[in-house]
């Protein structure tokens, strides 16, 4: 059971009152629970507790999870681990042959931890610092990292890959079972956080689990398929990248690169007169050959058989971890795009805002605000809160102001039937095209967009985009102007950046905001690039690829280099934590970083962990007491294969690598 939400809200409201009194700002509420008194007094005094207490590590290329002195980590669970008793699981040693990939492999995988763990959401049991429920995304499978004998070339789109799938058709249902979400019970004991197998909460949701389609796209003509003519029930969730939590204790999982799972697009398009479906695909194109080859054995992923199946994916899915019998629900009111995550905060009047990024080059940042208020006293009353509200997309102006533009069907506005929008269902399904019409600002791959529960300020990771130095042209099915702009100021943005957004009146329901560049990522140690300390210098036209800016922090010798911020998190004291997803040759391996957003140390970014070879780091989820940070180490060994591994983490002994969740904590047990 999760913390009762009356407790959460009481805590949240009292903290808001406290902060309003001590800091003179009205703070929208977050999700953290109890605030230790040391933390509360530090916040009141504007200091971050334990800042500088941990010394930054140097960037590392070691095939190890390197952590700062004073930190330790425990491996919590890895790909293939059994989630119910009596199962040996799929071990790293098993991966060295294909003997495990038989007809029953998928059924076994349905009861095991999935592959490529990504987002993490922890729901502490009421009153407990030692037990809770963890929801984990399983984003995708890199076939060459799990199937022995496969080369990277054989795993890519192409004839060799098609032949491999045809010879191993059981690989597709196994991959489908390795996707989706794991829900598991964690208990902290003498050996750290451990999975409690087979509790009432334990659950696997996969790429074939039935789920309800809720919200404005439910039953829409574009959601109807041969298999589900009513357009109300979808099978499965996959490509689940980041996520988020609601104030009523449910998990939001974000369907991201769903286009990679479908094939047959060109041959279907050449043979159809279905203009509506073809036109709707244009703004989120699918290729003839899928990336993963599921279409070769499963007609659901072949556009020639089910041309509208892709519209049933690319949504935010809500999962109730406290009720394993509740169907996951695709909340279509939050729009359809390459969803990175959905991070919530309460508005001043008690409604819920969810911030979201569309992680594709030149795509947009979104916010959804519910129509109705969150009810802290009646959990059931919040069940369908995410089905009604207003979806907005962001426009960032060069003045440092910005506006949330409502994506609402309106015959008097641009989202009208003459432009192909006859209902709100049309708007959410064709969300990107609707946002185009409103003049939203194309961004450098928006990943996590996360409000700081302490201050209400919103931070968005723009992970990278090397393609602005082009002329006007076509990108993802529409013609756009390339070139840098104020919010995306580098023409070659290899290192990414973070924007800080301040809602008008500090209210997440506002439609106007101010924004500034918080971080221009890169390597400040490189002597021939500029370390900028004045915001007015962070402007397009003046920036080189390697220039950096750390929220105005003035001493380049004290900060850590960082590349490609991806997922974000906040500890209970309000410090921003950043995990990265960059190519290994940009600086070193990916890692985990912390940076205060307030006070004299604003911008003092320090690296506290470095991932093994080939891995990105995701998750970034704290326990409510701030003493444990759960991280996802995703795809260690990328760049190698099962037969020629470039990483042996976490099992060692020459074995192929596996993705795993780890729990970081201080050796002295204090909050991080
Ligand atoms: Fe799956 Fe946006 O990273
Ligand atoms: Ca991500
Ligand atoms: Ca990423």
């Amino acid at each position: 059971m999760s913390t009762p939400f009356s407790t959460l809200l009481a805590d949240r409201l009292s903290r808001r009152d406290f902060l309003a009194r001590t800091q003179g700002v009205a703070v929208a509420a977050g999700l953290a629970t109890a605030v230790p008194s040391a933390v509360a007094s530090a916040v009141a005094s504007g200091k971050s507790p334990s800042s500088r207490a941990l010394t930054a590590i140097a960037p590392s290329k070691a095939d190890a999870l390197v952590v700062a002195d004073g930190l330790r980590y425990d491996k919590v669970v890895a790909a293939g681990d059994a989630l119910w008793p009596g199962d040996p699981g799929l071990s790293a040693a098993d991966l060295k042959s294909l003997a495990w990939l038989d007809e029953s492999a998928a059924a076994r995988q349905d009861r095991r931890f999935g592959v490529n763990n990504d987002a993490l959401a922890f729901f502490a049991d009421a009153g407990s610092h030692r037990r809770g429920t963890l929801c984990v995304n399983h984003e995708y499978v890199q076939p060459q990292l799990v199937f022995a004998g496969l080369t990277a070339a054989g795993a890519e789109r192409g004839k060799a890959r098609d032949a491999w799938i045809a010879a191993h058709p059981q690989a597709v249902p196994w991959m489908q079972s390795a996707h989706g979400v794991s829900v598991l019970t964690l208990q902290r004991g003498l050996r750290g956080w451990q999975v409690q197998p087979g509790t009432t909460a334990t659950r696997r949701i996969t790429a074939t689990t039935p789920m309800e389609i809720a919200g404005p796209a439910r039953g829409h003509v574009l959601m109807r398929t041969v298999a589900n003519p009513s357009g109300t029930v979808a099978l499965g969730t996959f490509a689940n990248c980041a996520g988020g939590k609601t104030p009523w204790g449910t998990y939001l999982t974000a369907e991201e690169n769903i286009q990679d799972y479908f094939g047959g697009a060109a041959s279907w398009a050449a043979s159809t007169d279905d203009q509506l479906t073809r036109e709707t695909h244009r703004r989120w194109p699918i290729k003839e050959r899928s990336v993963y080859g599921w279409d070769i054995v499963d007609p659901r992923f072949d556009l020639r058989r089910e041309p509208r199946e892709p519209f049933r994916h690319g949504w935010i899915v809500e999962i109730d971890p406290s009720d394993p019998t509740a169907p996951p629900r695709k909340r279509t009111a939050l729009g359809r795009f390459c969803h990175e995550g959905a991070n919530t905060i309460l508005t001043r009047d008690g409604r819920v805002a969810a911030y979201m990024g569309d992680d594709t080059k030149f795509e947009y940042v979104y916010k959804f605000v519910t129509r109705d208020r969150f009810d802290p006293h009646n959990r059931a009353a919040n069940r369908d809160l995410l089905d009604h509200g207003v979806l907005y997309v962001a426009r960032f102006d060069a003045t440092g102001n910005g506006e949330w533009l409502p994506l609402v069907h309106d015959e008097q506005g641009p989202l009208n039937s003459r432009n192909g929008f006859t209902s709100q269902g049309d708007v959410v399904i064709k969300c990107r095209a609707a946002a185009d019409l409103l003049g939203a600002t194309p961004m450098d791959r928006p990943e996590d967009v996360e409000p700081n529960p302490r201050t209400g300020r919103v931070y968005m990771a723009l992970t990278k985009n090397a393609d602005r130095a082009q002329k006007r042209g076509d990108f993802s099915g529409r013609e756009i102007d390339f070139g840098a702009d104020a919010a995306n100021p580098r023409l070659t943005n290899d290192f990414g950046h973070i924007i800080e957004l301040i809602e008008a009146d500090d209210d997440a329901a506002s439609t106007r905001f101010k924004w500034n560049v918080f971080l221009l990522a890169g390597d400040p140690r490189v002597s021939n690039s500029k370390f900028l300390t004045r915001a007015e210098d962070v402007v397009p036209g003046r920036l080189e690829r390697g220039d950096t800016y750390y929220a105005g922090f003035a001493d380049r010798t004290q900060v850590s280099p960082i590349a490609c911020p991806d997922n974000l998190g906040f500890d209970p004291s309000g410090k921003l934590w950043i995990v990265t997803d960059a190519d290994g040759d940009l600086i070193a391996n990916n890692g985990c970083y912390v940076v205060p957003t307030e006070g004299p140390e604003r911008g003092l970014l320090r690296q506290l962990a470095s991932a093994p070879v080939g891995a990105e780091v995701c998750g970034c989820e704290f326990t409510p007491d701030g003493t444990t940070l759960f991280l996802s180490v995703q795809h260690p060994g990328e760049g190698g294969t099962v037969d020629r591994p470039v990483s042996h983490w976490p099992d060692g002994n020459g074995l192929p690598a596996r993705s795993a969740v780890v729990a970081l904590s201080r050796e002295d047990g204090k909050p991080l």
Side-chain angles (χ1 to χ4, degrees):
M1 284 298 292
S2 299
T3 309
F5 280 85
S6 50
T7 312
L8 277 181
L9 186 81
D11 188 58
R12 181 177 299 125
L13 292 180
S14 63
R15 191 170 71 244
R16 171 153 52 182
D17 292 342
F18 162 75
L19 285 166
R21 273 185 278 113
T22 55
Q23 297 194 312
V25 289
V27 179
L31 291 166
T33 51
V35 185
S37 56
V39 173
S41 59
V43 169
S45 67
K47 278 194 291 191
S48 298
S50 75
S51 61
R52 289 214 207 230
L54 295 166
T55 306
I57 60 169
S60 167
K61 293 202 167 189
D63 183 33
L65 183 59
V66 179
V67 298
D69 277 350
L71 288 183
R72 54 165 288 167
Y73 80 89
D74 304 305
K75 188 192 82 178
V76 177
V77 60
D81 283 357
L83 298 182
W84 278 267
D87 173 8
L90 180 68
S91 70
D94 292 334
L95 293 178
K96 295 185 85 172
S97 82
L98 276 183
W100 60 273
L101 188 63
D102 58 18
E103 293 299 323
S104 57
R108 285 196 300 273
Q109 182 56 51
D110 282 342
R111 297 172 63 79
R112 292 171 175 169
F113 196 64
V115 170
N116 275 24
N117 40 262
D118 198 304
L120 306 171
F122 183 71
F123 301 87
D125 282 9
S128 173
H129 292 307
R130 303 195 154 266
R131 195 176 166 94
T133 305
L134 187 73
C135 294
V136 187
N137 281 355
H138 301 293
E139 186 176 13
Y140 63 118
V141 170
Q142 282 143 306
Q144 69 274 26
L145 294 183
V146 289
F147 300 132
L150 202 55
T151 63
E156 298 275 310
R157 286 187 171 104
K159 289 198 171 119
R161 193 284 318 274
D162 292 3
W164 193 91
I165 294 279
H168 303 85
Q170 66 277 30
V172 170
W174 180 82
M175 285 192 271
Q176 293 175 342
S177 294
H179 278 68
V181 175
S182 289
V183 182
L184 27 111
T185 300
L186 296 189
Q187 172 96 35
R188 184 164 63 179
L190 290 175
R191 292 193 294 144
W193 289 97
Q194 305 243 298
V195 176
Q196 302 296 296
T199 71
T200 52
T202 309
R203 186 179 186 188
R204 279 287 282 115
I205 291 158
T206 73
T208 58
T209 304
M211 35 197 79
E212 213 176 276
I213 297 169
R218 179 179 171 84
H220 189 285
V221 64
L222 285 168
M223 302 292 273
R224 300 177 195 164
T225 61
V226 175
N228 176 229
S230 66
T232 56
V233 177
L235 289 185
T237 186
F238 45 88
N240 305 78
C241 195
K245 295 190 284 196
T246 65
W248 51 98
T250 58
Y251 179 52
L252 301 176
T253 179
E255 299 178 340
E256 193 191 40
N257 287 305
I258 59 104
Q259 72 284 350
D260 294 344
Y261 294 78
F262 296 91
S267 46
W268 163 75
S271 67
T272 187
D273 53 10
D274 180 352
Q275 288 294 340
L276 172 64
T277 303
R278 202 159 56 184
E279 181 58 24
T280 306
H281 277 304
R282 194 178 64 84
R283 189 60 179 78
W284 189 342
I286 286 168
K287 296 203 163 75
E288 177 68 8
R289 272 212 166 81
S290 66
V291 172
Y292 301 110
W294 293 9
D295 49 311
I296 294 166
V297 299
D298 186 342
R300 184 157 70 98
F301 295 89
D302 183 346
L303 261 59
R304 291 164 292 203
R305 308 283 286 277
E306 288 282 21
R308 294 178 175 177
E309 178 69 15
F311 304 141
R312 296 142 63 83
H313 307 277
W315 303 103
I316 293 292
V317 184
E318 184 175 8
I319 294 168
D320 187 347
S322 71
D323 181 3
T325 65
R329 294 185 173 89
K330 299 207 174 194
R331 297 299 184 188
T332 66
L334 279 67
R336 177 175 172 269
F337 44 89
C338 279
H339 275 288
E340 176 71 19
N343 294 293
T344 64
I345 193 165
L346 291 186
T347 65
R348 276 193 175 212
D349 62 3
R351 292 177 292 148
V352 178
Y355 293 91
M356 304 176 285
D358 181 351
D359 180 13
T360 302
K361 289 174 185 172
F362 303 107
E363 291 297 347
Y364 306 125
V365 171
Y366 296 84
K367 170 173 84 169
F368 180 78
V369 180
T370 59
R371 181 190 67 191
D372 301 321
R373 289 193 175 105
F374 163 59
D375 184 342
H377 306 294
N378 180 4
R379 188 170 190 254
N382 304 307
R383 198 192 79 166
D384 296 322
L385 218 49
L386 296 178
D387 284 346
H388 305 281
V390 177
L391 179 64
Y392 299 91
V393 65
R395 191 193 64 226
F396 296 84
D397 299 333
T399 54
N401 296 307
E403 187 171 354
W404 292 109
L405 311 163
L407 289 154
V408 177
H409 167 246
D410 178 4
E411 287 302 326
Q412 312 312 315
L415 305 184
N416 60 40
S417 48
R418 295 179 305 287
N419 286 330
F421 299 95
T422 59
S423 66
Q424 188 61 19
D426 280 333
V427 172
V428 294
I429 294 169
K430 301 186 259 186
C431 191
R432 287 175 165 181
D436 295 343
L437 280 172
L438 297 188
T441 303
M443 308 295 285
D444 287 350
R445 286 190 54 193
E447 301 251 28
D448 254 357
V449 185
E450 183 121 1
N452 183 335
R454 285 272 159 205
T455 66
R457 292 186 174 193
V458 180
Y459 296 80
M460 58 192 71
L462 291 314
T463 195
K464 62 178 168 184
N465 182 359
D467 284 343
R468 286 194 177 265
Q470 299 185 40
K471 304 273 185 282
R472 185 175 172 82
D474 179 87
F475 212 99
S476 273
R478 92 297 204 192
E479 176 114 338
I480 59 167
D481 280 318
F482 293 95
D485 58 39
N488 303 276
R490 287 196 284 213
L491 282 176
T492 302
N493 191 4
D494 286 337
F495 292 97
H497 63 291
I498 292 178
I499 285 179
E500 179 182 61
L501 183 152
I502 305 155
E503 297 277 22
D505 304 321
D506 290 316
D507 185 356
S510 294
T511 57
R512 296 195 175 268
F513 58 84
K514 294 195 181 300
W515 66 270
N516 63 83
V517 173
F518 178 79
L519 173 77
L520 267 189
D523 189 345
R525 303 167 304 174
V526 176
S527 56
N528 62 356
S529 61
K530 298 191 288 290
F531 181 74
L532 304 167
T533 57
R534 302 187 315 165
E536 54 267 39
D537 293 329
V538 184
V539 288
R542 288 200 218 153
L543 298 172
E544 300 294 332
R545 171 181 177 273
D547 292 350
T548 51
Y549 172 76
Y550 282 51
F553 194 79
D555 184 352
R556 77 198 289 168
T557 67
Q558 287 194 52
V559 298
S560 299
I562 182 172
C564 303
D566 187 330
N567 297 133
L568 307 176
F570 289 93
D571 63 31
S573 77
K575 293 196 300 295
L576 173 62
W577 292 71
I578 305 166
V579 289
T580 61
D581 176 17
D583 292 336
D585 55 0
L586 208 48
I587 294 176
N589 295 355
N590 285 301
C592 176
Y593 306 76
V594 62
V595 57
T597 62
E598 312 291 316
E601 293 183 346
R602 173 177 157 97
L604 171 52
L605 180 137
R606 290 167 298 141
Q607 180 172 6
L608 296 183
S610 173
V613 170
E616 69 172 286
V617 189
C618 359
C620 218
E621 171 77 346
F622 283 88
T623 52
D625 64 5
T627 61
T628 298
L629 168 60
F630 294 111
L631 294 177
S632 264
V633 177
Q634 188 181 170
H635 59 70
E638 186 176 77
T641 65
V642 171
D643 310 288
R644 305 186 70 164
V646 297
S647 168
H648 305 291
W649 191 88
D651 299 286
N653 299 318
L655 293 166
R658 295 190 292 161
S659 295
V661 175
V662 298
L664 248 73
S665 56
R666 289 174 62 115
E667 284 171 339
D668 62 13
K670 288 183 181 163
L672 281 145

